[in-house]
Amino acid sequence: IKDIFQAAKHVRIVGRDTDLTFSTQGRIYEVADGHLNMPDGEIFTAPVDDSAEGYIYFEFPGVYVGRQVKGIQLEFSKGQVVRATAESNQELLDELLNMDEGAKRLGEFGVGTNFGIDRFCYDILYDEKIGGTIHLALGRAYAECGGVNQSALHWDIIKDLRREGAVYLDGAKVIDKGMFLI
């Protein structure tokens, strides 16, 4: 899975209220396979800072220091969040996005590969691994992936693709309704 994602230049995520594209060209995908977190199961990288275009809706709430932000919808232009709404806790969402200059950019794109984790439990170390989901982090990028975005924030938010959604790499569908096609 890592090798197929690594070979691609562009990622497109589609689904419920979602059509988001960005580049990972020149970035390194890492495999999380149980050396640092348990349970584990994801691949991740740092998107190219100015490449995110489009919009995304997150079915699961964003959880920040125990506080939930439900129904997050983000719109990106030239890699930066230009519009952000939430069904609940809009004030926290706005506060986080305004934390610093880098908070409005993507620092991570991850793909959950652990199908043994099948439900959201409000703990990011489990939730970001759910097989059939992707996650994006706003803020600080991983330098080991080639990311350069700096921020005090690194906030993972998870999108569920299992009922509706797909991931395309350079135009080829590689995930459909949470299932790998590769």
Side-chain angles (χ1 to χ4, degrees):
I1 294 170
K2 175 202 174 223
D3 292 343
I4 291 168
F5 274 77
Q6 186 68 61
K9 296 176 183 177
H10 296 96
V11 176
R12 180 178 180 210
I13 303 164
V14 297
R16 177 182 170 197
D17 297 324
T18 299
D19 193 348
L20 180 68
T21 60
F22 52 86
S23 174
T24 58
Q25 185 174 11
R27 300 300 168 94
I28 299 164
Y29 279 85
E30 294 285 341
V31 175
D33 60 359
H35 288 94
L36 298 175
N37 292 326
M38 287 302 288
D40 222 330
E42 70 170 301
I43 62 165
F44 63 93
T45 194
V48 175
D49 294 15
D50 63 353
S51 67
E53 294 286 340
Y55 52 94
I56 187 167
Y57 174 82
F58 295 93
E59 288 80 3
F60 293 126
V63 180
Y64 186 81
V65 191
R67 296 169 61 195
Q68 295 180 38
V69 182
K70 294 181 181 175
I72 297 171
Q73 175 87 47
L74 302 176
E75 184 178 338
F76 289 86
S77 179
K78 298 178 183 169
Q80 190 163 334
V81 174
V82 294
R83 187 172 157 276
T85 60
E87 294 166 8
S88 71
N89 223 341
Q90 180 73 45
E91 304 80 27
L92 177 58
L93 178 59
D94 293 340
E95 181 182 321
L96 294 173
L97 287 169
N98 291 311
M99 184 177 290
D100 54 40
E101 185 65 28
K104 291 182 179 174
R105 297 198 180 273
L106 292 178
E108 179 187 3
F109 163 59
V111 179
T113 61
N114 188 334
F115 288 89
I117 305 172
D118 61 2
R119 63 190 160 278
F120 192 79
C121 67
Y122 302 90
D123 184 332
I124 195 60
L125 292 179
Y126 289 88
D127 296 334
E128 69 180 356
K129 313 305 191 309
I130 298 170
T133 68
I134 61 94
H135 57 278
L136 299 175
L138 294 169
R140 181 181 39 81
Y142 290 117
E144 65 266 29
C145 296
V148 296
N149 191 48
Q150 297 294 312
S151 178
L153 182 68
H154 182 92
W155 186 34
D156 291 287
I157 314 169
I158 299 151
K159 177 160 188 66
D160 194 351
L161 299 175
R162 295 174 293 178
R163 288 192 188 103
E164 175 184 354
V167 175
Y168 295 82
L169 299 178
D170 294 338
K173 189 186 287 189
V174 296
I175 298 174
D176 186 33
K177 293 185 180 174
M179 299 306 296
F180 288 97
L181 304 176
I182 48 180

